[in-house]
Amino acid sequence: MKYYSTNRIASEVSLQEAVVKGLAPDKGLYMPEKIQRLPSDFFGGIGRFGLVDLAKTVAKAFFGEDIPSEKLESIVADTLNFDIPLKKVGEGIYVLELFKGPTFAFKDVGARFMARLLSHFVQEKGQEDVNVLVATSGDTGSAVANGFLGVKGIRVFVLYPKGKVSDIQEAQFTTLGQNITALEISGTFDDCQRLVKEAFVDAELNVQMKLTSANSINVARFLPQSFYYFHAYAQLARLNRTRNVVVSVPSGNLGNLTAGLFAKRMGLPLKRFIAANNRNDVFFEYLRTGKYSPRASVQTIANAMDVGKPSNFARILDLYGNAHEAIAADISPARYGDDEIRNAIRSVYEKSGYLLDPHGACGYLALEKQKNPDETGVFLATAHPAKFKETVEECIGKAIEIPSGLKTFMQREKQSEPLSAAFNDFKARLMSSK
Ligand SMILES: *Cc1c(COP(=O)(O)O)cnc(C)c1O
C-alpha cells in the first residue's frame, strides 16, 4: 500500500519509507491511500473474536500487502501481550481500560507495534541501524523506550527536561539501559523538542546516521490504535449493547481519536465520537465554529492532553475532505477545567468505587453530561490513575496502591546523561555513538 502526504506535495511512499521517515518531506502527515471496508458478516459475528484475532484482521487490512502474514501476526500478538478490558462504570457507561501495558498508558499499543515493525524493516530488509529520537514531557518517553527495549538494530535517545517530569515517569525511561539512552537536558520540554527537530534537518548528521521519530505522526504508531475500538465493540456485542454506541476519547494530539475514525471508516458501526478536551480547547472550538486557531498550550492536571496545535488534525481534515459539517456530525465537542476533572474523580469514586485518572475523567464527564438515554457510552481510560498519584489522592482524600509493575521501575537505578540545551552538544553526543 502507498502512503500519501496530507499536504499532497511530497510523492507517495511505501510503508517502509513512511515508517522510517515519520513526517513527509513537505511536513504533511502520511495517510494510507485506501481504507478497506471489512465485510458485514465480520461485524455480525464480531463477539466471537478476542483482541488479538480482531487486531490481526485490522492489521492485515492496512499492512497485509507489505508484511508477510505470519510476521504481521506475530508482531500483533507480541504487541498485545496484555489485556484491554471493558467494564461497567454507570448506567449505559462503560470504560475501556487501555492502561494494562508495561508503562500503564495507551501509548504502549502504538509504541510496541511501531518498535516491532521498524525492527522488521531493519533486520529483514537490510535497512541500516536506526536511531529513534524522542522528546518527552513524560508518557511518550516511557512507552517508546519500553517498546523498543532490546530491539536489535535500533537505538533510542529519550530527551527530557531536567526536573520537569514526575519521579515515576523518569524512572520508566532512565532505568532501562541496553539500547535506551536517556538524556537529561538542562532546559524545558520545548528545548528537547527543538533539539530533536534540529537533528532531523542537520545535513551532516543525517549523512552519518539514520534518524527517525516515534511520536504519533508516525503511521506505525497511530494506525494500531484502531485495533481496540473493534475490541470495545466486540465486548459490547457479548453484552448485547451495540445499539447507538458513542465513544468518548480524551484528546490531545488527536492520534487516538483519528484511529477511531479510521475504525468507523472500515465499517465498525459506531454512532458517533466525543472529543473530550481539557482547557486546551482548540479542537473543541473548531467543532463548534469551524474555525481552527492553534495557540500555545496551558498547563492542566490532565497534562498529556496539554496540546495547543494537535498534529493529527491534518489527518482528520484529510479524511473528511475538509468538510466541517461532516466532521462535526461524527464528533461532538466537550471541554472540562481542572475543577470539573477533580470533582469527577471524587464523585465517581464515591458513587461506584471506580478510580479515574485525570484524562479518563474527561472522557467520563463527556458521557455523563452528553449521552442520550438510547445510547451506550464507552470512554477510553488512557492511563492508570497511579501515574497521577498526588492529584488522584488529593481528590479522593486517601492513599492509593501503586501497581507492582510501576514500583519495579522505581527500584531500579537511574542511568541518565546530563546534557546542555545547546544543539552542538547534542549533535556531538549523537555522533559519538555511531
Ligand atoms: C497521549 C495521551 C492522551 C492524548 O492522546 P492523543 O492521541 O494525543 O489525543 C490522553 N491521555 C493520556 C494519558 C496520554 O498519555
Side-chain angles (χ1 to χ4, degrees):
M1 172 125 57
K2 292 275 182 226
Y3 288 79
Y4 65 88
S5 162
T6 51
N7 284 345
R8 315 258 176 170
I9 300 166
S11 45
E12 294 193 343
V13 297
S14 65
L15 173 65
Q16 175 169 351
E17 268 181 274
V19 172
V20 172
K21 280 205 176 107
L23 197 66
D26 61 5
K27 303 219 158 59
L29 276 70
Y30 283 118
M31 293 280 277
E33 65 176 350
K34 54 181 191 288
I35 300 174
Q36 196 183 311
R37 259 189 108 78
L38 298 176
S40 56
D41 59 345
F42 167 73
F43 295 107
I46 197 168
R48 287 183 281 126
F49 299 110
L51 171 61
V52 172
D53 284 337
L54 290 169
K56 285 177 182 171
T57 302
V58 177
K60 279 180 194 164
F62 287 113
F63 310 120
E65 289 172 19
D66 299 292
I67 317 279
S69 164
E70 223 167 88
K71 181 74 206 180
L72 185 55
E73 292 197 359
S74 88
I75 290 176
V76 168
D78 283 353
T79 298
L80 298 169
N81 67 344
F82 52 89
D83 202 14
I84 302 183
L86 183 91
K87 293 178 180 167
K88 186 169 177 177
V89 173
E91 206 33 61
I93 298 185
Y94 296 82
V95 57
L96 187 70
E97 294 188 339
L98 293 169
F99 53 71
K100 305 272 186 182
T103 73
F104 297 85
F106 83 96
K107 292 190 172 74
D108 279 329
V109 175
R112 290 171 65 78
F113 188 92
M114 181 186 162
R116 284 158 183 79
L117 194 64
L118 195 54
S119 149
H120 163 73
F121 290 137
V122 170
Q123 286 170 16
E124 276 151 61
K125 297 235 177 163
Q127 180 88 50
E128 61 192 293
D129 282 6
V130 173
N131 297 280
V132 173
L133 308 183
V134 59
T136 185
S137 56
D139 282 339
T140 300
S142 53
V144 169
N146 283 273
F148 285 84
L149 181 63
V151 176
K152 284 205 196 73
I154 299 177
R155 179 136 194 187
V156 177
F157 292 90
V158 181
L159 288 79
Y160 72 103
K162 181 180 165 73
K164 294 189 179 68
V165 303
S166 79
D167 292 348
I168 292 183
Q169 288 173 326
E170 187 177 26
Q172 285 183 302
F173 53 77
T174 57
T175 60
L176 300 167
Q178 298 186 52
N179 58 330
I180 312 298
T181 304
L183 300 174
E184 185 173 21
I185 306 295
S186 300
T188 61
F189 170 67
D190 294 320
D191 288 318
C192 297
Q193 207 153 26
R194 171 181 52 81
L195 291 174
V196 169
K197 283 191 181 144
E198 279 185 50
F200 287 130
V201 298
D202 186 276
E204 189 190 3
L205 203 51
N206 284 276
V207 169
Q208 307 258 351
M209 301 174 80
K210 188 111 209 156
L211 304 176
T212 190
S213 134
N215 55 31
S216 68
I217 57 171
N218 200 303
V219 287
R221 250 201 71 192
F222 117 86
L223 281 175
Q225 293 173 172
S226 59
F227 300 163
Y228 44 71
Y229 288 87
F230 290 82
H231 181 52
Y233 188 86
Q235 293 181 79
L236 287 175
R238 296 198 275 278
L239 301 168
N240 274 321
R241 297 243 22 169
T242 52
R243 240 168 57 88
N244 299 329
V245 176
V246 186
V247 184
S248 174
V249 186
S251 292
N253 256 328
L254 301 172
N256 210 359
L257 176 66
T258 306
L261 300 173
F262 271 62
K264 186 170 159 89
R265 205 50 80 86
M266 293 176 82
L268 187 66
L270 301 174
K271 184 179 165 200
R272 63 179 175 116
F273 294 86
I274 305 175
N277 280 155
N278 60 23
R279 271 194 302 121
N280 295 281
D281 55 1
V282 174
F283 191 57
F284 172 89
E285 271 180 17
Y286 168 78
L287 290 173
R288 295 241 287 212
T289 65
K291 289 199 190 75
Y292 180 65
S293 348
R295 54 181 162 266
S297 62
V298 296
Q299 201 172 348
T300 76
I301 58 168
N303 66 303
M305 292 161 30
D306 294 350
V307 178
K309 189 173 186 257
S311 47
N312 287 286
F313 182 64
R315 283 198 170 110
I316 297 180
L317 284 183
D318 191 88
L319 193 62
Y320 287 85
N322 284 305
H324 173 260
E325 209 175 306
I327 294 173
D330 274 356
I331 313 167
S332 315
R335 168 186 60 187
Y336 302 103
D338 282 356
D339 287 340
E340 290 168 288
I341 296 171
R342 284 198 189 89
N343 286 335
I345 294 174
R346 182 180 312 117
S347 75
V348 170
Y349 185 73
E350 281 170 5
K351 249 193 317 213
S352 68
Y354 192 82
L355 190 57
L356 296 164
D357 93 285
H359 308 80
C362 292
Y364 170 85
L365 270 170
L367 288 178
E368 186 192 53
K369 298 202 188 301
Q370 292 192 17
K371 190 182 78 64
N372 302 322
D374 69 341
E375 291 175 326
T376 295
V378 175
F379 68 96
L380 307 187
T382 47
H384 192 288
K387 282 193 106 167
F388 307 92
K389 189 172 183 292
E390 286 79 23
T391 303
V392 170
E393 287 181 340
E394 217 177 278
C395 293
I396 64 169
K398 67 180 197 197
I400 60 165
E401 189 66 27
I402 298 194
S404 62
L406 259 184
K407 268 192 216 144
T408 313
F409 286 112
M410 308 210 46
Q411 285 151 0
R412 298 197 198 124
E413 198 185 332
K414 173 172 156 181
Q415 328 171 24
S416 67
E417 300 175 22
L419 203 65
S420 85
F423 179 66
N424 279 341
D425 287 344
F426 177 50
K427 180 172 170 180
R429 175 62 189 84
L430 288 178
M431 297 283 250
S432 76
S433 69
K434 273 204 303 130

